[in-house]
Amino acid sequence: MSRAARLALAGAAAAVVALVIGMIAGGRAFPRIIPGLPDAGAVVRWGLPLSKLLMDLTGLLTVGLLLTAATLLPNDKGMLGKPALHYVKGASWAALAWAGAAFLGIVFGVADSLGRTVPQILDGAYLSSYATQTTQGVALTLVVLFGVAIALFSRGAITAGTAAGLLVFALVTLLPVPLTGHSSSSPNHDLATSAVALHLLAIALWVGGLAVLAAHALRGQPQLEVAAARFSRMALWCYVGVGLSGVFSLVARLGAVSDLWTSEYGVLAVAKIVAFVLLGYVGYWHRRRTLAQLESGKTRAFTRLAGGETLLMLATVGLAVALSRTPPPEYVVPADRAFDLLGFPLPPEITVANVFSLWWFDLFFAVVAAVLAGLYGLGVRRLARRGDRWPPGRTVSWFAGVALLVFATQSGLARYAQVMFDMHMIEHMTLSMIVPIFLVLGAPVTLALRALKPAARKGDRGPREWITTILHSRFTKVITHPVVATAIFIGSTYALYFTPLFESAMTEHLGHIWMTLHFLISGCLFFWVIIGVDPGPNRLPYVGRLLMLFVTMPFHAFFGIALMMTGSVIASGWYEQLGRTWGDTLLQTQQDGGAIAWGFGEIPTLIVLLAIAVQWYKDDSRQARRADRRADRTGAGDPELDSYNAYLARLNRADKAE
C-alpha cells in the first residue's frame, strides 16, 4: 500500500474516531428512548452522521483536487499538466462518491425523521416526498444532482479554466446542506447563515487543498515547492476566515458565554477551538521552517508535517459533524413573529435619526466591503512603493462607493428596507445606480493589472493572467455586450417585482443576499459598459454611450409609474406577517416606492453625463497630444488639417489674383 493511501486511511480513521467521541460527549450516541415513541434504531442513529461525514470528506476531497489542478500546480498557457489532469480525473470519482453519500443522507434522513428503520422507508414513497418537499431533503437532492454533474464534466476537462469553473461549482455545492441546518433556525439566522457559509468555504479550500498537497508530496510528484508556496499564501487567509466566521457563528447560537462549558454544544465547540489553535501553530511552523527546507530540496520534513496537519484537520471535521448533530443551547427569545422573520425586533417608527443610528451588522456584505476596500488599498500601496502614480480621483471614487455600500447594507436603511417598500426601493436604487458608478470610476481592473506581477513561470497563470483571461473570455464578451448588459439591468427589475420572486427573496436570508448582490453586480455591469475606465471587450463610442443611457433610463421611469398604478400590494404575505402598526399603509408605501424609482433616475443620469463629458474631453485631448507628438517626430502634420490649410491658401491666392 502506498504512503498516500495509508494517509487517506489514517485520515478517515481520525475523522471517524473524532465523530464517535463527539457523539458520546454530545449525548447523541446513546439518547434516552421513551417507550411508545418511534425509534429508528442504532443503524440510523449512527448511519446518519457517518453518511454526513462521508459527504463532507468527499466534498472536501473534490474541492481539494480541483483547487490543486486549477491554481496550485503550474499550467502551460492554460492547459493542464499531467499531474493536474490526474487530479481532475480523481475529482470526477470523488464527486461521484459525494453524490452517493448525499443519497445515503436522504435515506437515513427519512428514517430518522419518521422514526423507522431503513427497510421500512424503502418500501413506500417516503424517499421522493422527503427529497422534494422538505428543506433538508431538497438540499441533499441538489448535492446529488450537482455531484453527478461535476463527475461528468470533470471527465473531459483539460484546461485550467474548466477546472476553475468546476471548482466554483463544487464550492457552491457545499452550501445547501449546512445552510438548512441549525443556522436557518437560529434566532439570529442572518448572522448564523452568513457565518456558516463563509466558514465552510474557507474550510473546504484549506482542508481539501492541504490533503491533496500532502498526498502530492507522499507520491513524490513534481513542482511540490511551487504548489506548497501557493497554498501557504492561501491558507493564511483561509485560517483568518475560519476563525472569524467561527466566532460569529458561535455568537449567533449561544445565549451566554457560560454556554461554552455548561452545554454539550459548547463543550464540542471548545474542542473545535482547541484544534483550530493547534492547526494555527502547525501552520506557523510550516511557513517558518518546512517551506525553506522544501525550497532547498528537503521534502521529508514537509511531508511529515503536512501529513500530521491533515490528520488533525480531518479529526476536526469529524468533531464538526458531531457538533452539527448536537442541538445548540436553548435560550429565551421574544415571542414575536417579526423577530422570527427578520432576526431582529421590528424597528421603531421611522425617522431620519433612526435611519442613521439603528445600525445592524450584516456579516456577508461587511466581508464584501472589507475585501473591496482592502484589496484596492493594497494595490494603491504597491504602486506607490514602486514609484508609480495612481490618480487620486479614482481612489476617492472607489472608497466613496464602498462607503455607500456599507451604509446601504449596515445602517438603519437596511433595517427599514426589510419592513417598508419605499425604503427598500431607496436601498435598491442606491445599490444598483449610485454605488456602481463610483466603483466603476475607480478602475479596479486597471489597478489590478498594474499592481500584480506577471507569473514567475512563462506560460503559467497567476492572478494577473487569470484577470486577463477572464476579460477576454467568451462569457465576458457576451455579458458586457450593450444589449445584454441593458437587458439584465432593466429586465431583471421587472422580473423581480412583478413575479413571486420578490416575496421569496424577502422570506429567505439567502434569497435576500442574492437579490441585494444582484442589484450591485447588474449595476456595475451596466455602468462599466457606459463609463468604464477599465479595458473591456465591447467599447462603445461616446455617442453610443449617450444613446444607451438615454434609451435605458426611461424604462426606470416606466417601472416607477407601473408601481404607482398597481392596485395590489406586492409581497403582501411578507409585509403582513411583520405586523407593522406605524407609518403609511402597505399600498401607500408601495406607491411611494414607485415615485422614488421614477424620480431617482435623474441623480445617476446627471453623474453619468458629467463622467462621459469629462472622459470625452480627456480622450480628445489625448488624441490631440498624440497627433502633435507624431507630427514633431515625423515632420508630417495632420492630413485633414493640412488639406484644410491648403484649401484656405488657395482661396487666399485666388482673392489676391482678382
Side-chain angles (χ1 to χ4, degrees):
M1 183 182 295
S2 65
R3 292 191 297 170
R6 290 199 296 269
L7 175 63
L9 290 177
V16 171
V17 170
L19 170 63
V20 172
I21 295 175
M23 290 280 289
I24 295 174
R28 305 299 295 177
F30 307 104
R32 180 183 176 186
I33 307 299
I34 301 177
L37 293 180
D39 177 42
V43 173
V44 174
R45 189 181 311 126
W46 286 98
L48 185 59
L50 286 173
S51 63
K52 175 68 168 58
L53 177 61
L54 178 61
M55 187 170 62
D56 287 350
L57 293 179
T58 50
L60 295 177
L61 181 59
T62 304
V63 170
L65 290 167
L66 293 172
L67 173 69
T68 305
T71 62
L72 298 186
L73 291 176
N75 56 76
D76 185 12
K77 296 181 180 179
M79 303 301 294
L80 298 176
K82 187 176 179 180
L85 286 173
H86 177 75
Y87 290 139
V88 172
K89 295 296 189 300
S92 176
W93 292 106
L96 195 60
W98 190 6
F103 179 75
L104 289 177
I106 294 176
V107 173
F108 289 118
V110 173
D112 181 67
S113 61
L114 297 179
R116 301 191 179 188
T117 62
V118 172
Q120 289 174 334
I121 60 102
L122 291 178
D123 290 338
Y126 301 112
L127 291 179
S128 60
S129 298
Y130 181 83
T132 58
Q133 298 179 13
T134 65
T135 305
Q136 191 73 0
V138 171
L140 289 168
T141 303
L142 289 176
V143 175
V144 174
L145 296 176
F146 291 169
V148 172
I150 295 172
L152 293 176
F153 287 113
S154 297
R155 300 300 298 174
I158 60 174
T159 64
T162 304
L166 291 171
L167 172 61
V168 174
F169 195 14
L171 291 172
V172 172
T173 307
L174 288 170
L175 298 178
V177 174
L179 295 184
T180 55
H182 294 320
S183 60
S184 61
S185 59
S186 173
N188 192 352
H189 50 76
D190 288 8
L191 180 60
T193 301
S194 299
V196 166
L198 296 174
H199 192 72
L200 188 62
L201 293 178
I203 283 179
L205 294 171
W206 185 22
V207 179
L210 181 64
V212 177
L213 190 63
H216 189 83
L218 289 172
R219 295 173 62 240
Q221 294 295 307
Q223 300 171 330
L224 174 61
E225 66 283 355
V226 177
R230 292 180 177 180
F231 174 80
S232 180
R233 291 191 292 269
M234 182 199 72
L236 176 61
W237 293 106
C238 289
Y239 185 81
V240 173
V242 169
L244 292 177
S245 59
V247 170
F248 288 121
S249 182
L250 283 177
V251 168
R253 288 178 172 84
L254 301 182
V257 178
S258 59
D259 289 335
L260 287 173
W261 56 84
T262 59
S263 66
E264 292 86 355
Y265 188 91
V267 171
L268 291 178
V270 170
K272 272 192 66 178
I273 293 173
V274 172
F276 175 77
V277 173
L278 289 176
L279 286 172
Y281 176 75
V282 173
Y284 172 77
W285 185 270
H286 166 76
R287 291 177 64 88
R288 288 292 303 272
R289 299 292 182 89
T290 60
L291 282 183
Q293 295 178 1
L294 189 61
E295 291 177 357
S296 62
K298 301 176 181 178
T299 62
R300 187 174 181 83
F302 172 83
T303 303
R304 289 200 305 266
L305 189 61
E309 189 177 1
T310 300
L311 294 179
L312 182 57
M313 281 184 171
L314 295 180
T316 307
V317 172
L319 278 177
V321 174
L323 191 64
S324 68
R325 294 292 300 159
T326 305
E330 297 182 358
Y331 55 94
V332 179
V333 295
D336 183 9
R337 180 58 177 163
F339 187 91
D340 294 337
L341 294 173
L342 298 171
F344 53 83
L346 189 72
E349 186 171 1
I350 184 169
T351 62
V352 175
N354 286 340
V355 170
F356 284 91
S357 61
L358 294 179
W359 287 74
W360 178 256
F361 183 68
D362 187 311
L363 176 60
F364 181 85
F365 286 101
V367 171
V368 171
V371 170
L372 292 178
L375 291 180
Y376 196 94
L378 289 175
V380 173
R381 182 183 179 187
R382 176 173 291 186
L383 289 183
R385 285 186 171 182
R386 208 163 59 195
D388 293 341
R389 180 181 178 276
W390 181 252
R394 294 181 180 179
T395 304
V396 172
S397 177
W398 179 266
F399 283 100
V402 173
L404 286 172
L405 173 63
V406 171
F407 177 77
T409 58
Q410 312 286 324
S411 70
L413 175 62
R415 280 210 193 193
Y416 285 105
Q418 297 193 52
V419 300
M420 301 181 68
F421 189 86
D422 50 357
M423 299 303 293
H424 165 81
M425 192 54 61
I426 294 177
E427 182 189 45
H428 174 179
M429 293 299 167
T430 302
L431 289 171
S432 65
M433 302 182 69
I434 299 296
V435 173
I437 293 176
F438 289 102
L439 294 182
V440 165
L441 291 177
V445 177
T446 302
L447 175 63
L449 292 176
R450 289 183 57 183
L452 292 171
K453 297 179 180 179
R457 294 170 174 263
K458 186 177 180 180
D460 192 13
R461 282 185 182 175
R464 192 175 189 274
E465 288 73 21
W466 274 110
I467 294 175
T468 304
T469 301
I470 293 173
L471 281 177
H472 292 88
S473 66
R474 184 178 303 175
F475 175 77
T476 303
K477 291 180 181 178
V478 171
I479 65 170
T480 58
H481 191 279
V483 175
V484 177
T486 303
I488 294 174
F489 185 62
I490 297 298
S492 60
T493 301
Y494 285 85
L496 175 66
Y497 291 101
F498 295 117
T499 66
L501 286 176
F502 177 63
E503 185 167 358
S504 299
M506 295 295 288
T507 303
E508 296 291 339
H509 178 60
L510 287 179
H512 187 263
I513 287 179
W514 281 114
M515 178 177 64
T516 308
L517 200 60
H518 171 77
F519 294 155
L520 182 64
I521 294 175
S522 62
C524 288
L525 180 63
F526 176 76
F527 289 108
W528 186 38
V529 175
I530 294 182
I531 57 173
V533 183
D534 294 321
N538 298 298
R539 307 303 297 174
L540 285 174
Y542 291 101
V543 175
R545 300 181 187 187
L546 289 173
L547 181 62
M548 182 176 173
L549 177 65
F550 289 130
V551 168
T552 302
M553 287 307 163
F555 285 97
H556 267 284
F558 297 153
F559 167 71
I561 294 173
L563 284 178
M564 295 170 64
M565 297 178 63
T566 301
S568 59
V569 178
I570 298 175
S572 58
W574 164 261
Y575 290 113
E576 289 172 355
Q577 290 185 82
L578 298 177
R580 178 173 58 85
T581 57
W582 46 262
D584 294 328
T585 63
L586 297 181
L587 186 59
Q588 182 60 49
T589 59
Q590 180 174 301
Q591 293 173 348
D592 292 342
I596 291 170
W598 181 27
F600 202 94
E602 296 181 2
I603 301 174
T605 300
L606 291 175
I607 298 175
V608 171
L609 284 175
L610 179 61
I612 292 177
V614 172
Q615 291 175 355
W616 201 343
Y617 171 76
K618 289 184 176 181
D619 187 59
D620 286 345
S621 300
R622 282 194 298 267
Q623 291 184 12
R625 290 194 300 269
R626 192 179 300 115
D628 292 340
R629 288 195 299 268
R630 183 172 62 250
D632 295 339
R633 186 173 59 253
T634 62
D638 188 349
E640 294 183 0
L641 182 60
D642 293 342
S643 177
Y644 182 69
N645 289 333
Y647 171 71
L648 294 178
R650 288 196 300 270
L651 291 179
N652 187 36
R653 287 194 299 269
D655 291 339
K656 289 180 179 180
E658 294 178 355

